[in-house]
Amino acid sequence: MLPQLIKTFRKKEADDISLLMLLVLMSGISMWIYYGTLREDLPIIFTNVFSLLLNVILMFLRWKYKNKKDFFPDNHEYNKFKT
């Protein structure tokens, strides 16, 4: 997920990120966090909290960049500065 997050942040576009995939992945990670909490297993908890945090950031970037694309028309100034 970290390479995808870096790519999304640098390119400022998130067309290739599936919302369903993110939701399914985040629900699975949340279950791992719950399991780690039940077992009081800190490595499981910390690893999955970090992974969940990356996915939350990726979902935010997806929302942010999808909204910009939908908001600005193709000939708008914002689109001239995209790399």
Side-chain angles (χ1 to χ4, degrees):
M1 273 294 131
L2 192 56
Q4 182 70 45
L5 182 66
I6 293 168
K7 176 186 171 192
T8 303
F9 188 73
R10 284 185 181 164
K11 287 192 164 202
K12 298 193 182 343
E13 66 180 43
D15 295 335
D16 55 347
I17 298 173
S18 166
L19 180 61
L20 180 61
M21 183 270 310
L22 280 176
L23 292 174
V24 169
L25 183 59
M26 289 170 63
S27 65
I29 293 169
S30 298
M31 287 186 231
W32 272 104
I33 294 169
Y34 178 68
Y35 173 73
T37 304
L38 290 177
R39 291 190 41 131
E40 298 177 359
D41 193 339
L42 292 180
I44 290 176
I45 295 169
F46 290 143
T47 302
N48 287 291
V49 165
F50 177 72
S51 182
L52 185 64
L53 178 66
L54 290 179
N55 283 288
V56 167
I57 293 169
L58 191 57
M59 184 174 280
F60 171 76
L61 291 176
R62 181 187 184 277
W63 172 80
K64 180 181 176 183
Y65 297 139
K66 281 273 191 184
N67 284 347
K68 280 187 179 178
K69 183 180 178 191
D70 294 341
F71 182 75
F72 294 114
D74 289 337
N75 61 352
H76 191 273
E77 239 177 74
Y78 166 78
N79 293 324
K80 294 177 185 174
F81 297 109
K82 281 178 51 177
T83 56

